[in-house]
Amino acid sequence: MAAADECARLLRAGNLPREAAHARGVSLSTVLDYLDRAVGKGLIRRSDIYFSIPSGTRELVEKVKDERGFKLRRDAYDGYVHARPFEDALPHEDAGDIQVCLRYGPASRYYGDLYEELRGFEVDLHRLVRHVLEREYGTDARAWWFKGVDEAIRKDGAMRAEGLARDGYDPWYCLTLIETGIIVEKRWALFSSLLRASSGKAFKSEIQEVNDVRNRVMHPVRDMPPNEHDFDLVREARARVDSARATFYGVSAAAESRTT
């Protein structure tokens, strides 16, 4: 396996870049170069490298940057030179992690990646919820729709479908993310073993938080931009859905059908 491929595999497995460097017996800068090559090959995204660093470290680095008015062109970045003042200001943080934050941050650079995560989360959750309902109630005469979805949501979906003026359009595809969360909450007994939240109410609350981020991404002039916490929230929510899909479909089938 090529070095770039192996470093990407280690990152996807949950290793920090410095841990990948230790595992391969090379320097952090070498691993970051390999990871950049992996990005070029489409194996990972630059945001994956950045978000591998714990949120607490990322937030501290951004705080110091704001306090010091730190500005730097990306093509002028030198990890060893520019990280040193941050290492002095954050003596309890790992120097390698700080270098990664400076090289790949901040989170605001990754609006496109955040949109992709939101899109994947919504599409994959929507598909999973339908398939769970179909398995439970069956597909004959759309039993899954009439038994698994409350009447008020069915009516709203039907109204939106009619508004599209597309004959025969399935109203299921007109449900909102919030409505999908309500369906899960109301049928929590069907989803608890898959989604592994503390309760249906807790999962619906997570959906509402994700939806808030979604609205700010889709309507950037209306509100404050997403922050580090928002990115973590969406990535964690998608990881939950990925895990649920792996349980429901099987690991291989879930990976092959994951929305990209």
Side-chain angles (χ1 to χ4, degrees):
M1 182 181 293
D5 298 57
E6 173 63 11
C7 288
R9 185 194 68 78
L10 289 169
L11 191 80
R12 290 195 301 268
N15 292 278
L16 295 168
R18 58 181 164 86
E19 293 171 334
H22 178 75
R24 292 190 57 82
V26 297
S27 68
L28 174 63
S29 60
T30 297
V31 161
L32 295 181
D33 287 342
Y34 286 146
L35 289 174
D36 284 341
R37 293 182 198 175
V39 171
K41 296 172 71 173
L43 300 175
I44 56 173
R45 297 175 298 195
R46 285 178 66 84
S47 61
D48 294 325
I49 306 172
Y50 179 60
F51 288 111
S52 71
I53 304 301
S55 59
T57 300
R58 288 186 273 113
E59 290 170 0
L60 286 172
V61 171
E62 287 306 303
K63 180 180 179 182
V64 173
K65 284 170 66 176
D66 289 341
E67 290 173 348
R68 299 189 176 195
F70 182 81
K71 302 289 184 182
L72 180 70
R73 293 198 334 268
R74 299 300 165 189
D75 59 359
Y77 175 74
D78 183 315
Y80 295 103
V81 173
H82 294 107
R84 194 169 299 122
F86 289 84
E87 294 169 13
D88 293 340
L90 301 170
H92 301 297
E93 299 298 325
D94 184 86
D97 293 350
I98 292 174
Q99 287 191 40
V100 173
C101 289
L102 293 176
R103 179 165 173 165
Y104 295 97
S108 58
R109 299 177 67 189
Y110 302 113
Y111 262 65
D113 288 357
L114 180 58
Y115 170 78
E116 290 180 10
E117 290 285 4
L118 285 163
R119 175 179 176 274
F121 169 79
E122 186 167 354
V123 171
D124 286 344
L125 175 65
H126 195 256
R127 185 182 297 128
L128 174 66
V129 170
R130 176 166 178 165
H131 289 167
V132 170
L133 295 178
E134 288 178 344
R135 183 178 68 177
E136 178 67 18
Y137 300 110
T139 57
D140 291 346
R142 287 178 68 86
W144 66 272
W145 173 249
F146 292 103
K147 294 182 179 180
V149 181
D150 289 354
E151 181 180 5
I153 294 178
R154 295 202 310 270
K155 287 182 176 180
D156 286 344
M159 287 179 59
R160 296 185 197 111
E162 184 175 347
L164 293 174
R166 294 168 61 181
D167 186 46
Y169 194 78
D170 190 340
W172 170 256
Y173 297 112
C174 294
L175 300 191
T176 66
L177 180 58
I178 292 295
E179 288 169 335
T180 305
I182 293 172
I183 293 169
V184 172
E185 182 191 26
K186 293 290 185 68
R187 304 289 184 273
W188 184 241
L190 303 179
F191 295 95
S192 60
S193 63
L194 295 172
L195 294 168
R196 301 184 184 281
S198 59
S199 66
K201 183 178 180 180
F203 182 76
K204 188 181 74 169
S205 177
E206 181 178 61
I207 290 286
Q208 291 171 329
E209 290 184 275
V210 172
N211 192 66
D212 177 64
V213 178
R214 178 186 183 278
N215 289 340
R216 283 188 279 132
V217 169
M218 301 307 295
H219 306 286
V221 299
R222 296 184 186 176
D223 208 338
M224 61 189 298
N227 56 33
E228 299 280 337
H229 169 76
D230 295 327
F231 279 79
D232 289 332
L233 170 71
V234 173
R235 289 169 63 88
E236 289 167 8
R238 187 164 194 200
R240 185 191 299 279
V241 170
D242 283 343
S243 177
R245 294 180 68 256
T247 300
F248 186 80
Y249 300 113
V251 175
S252 296
E256 289 175 2
S257 63
R258 188 178 192 265
T259 300
T260 58

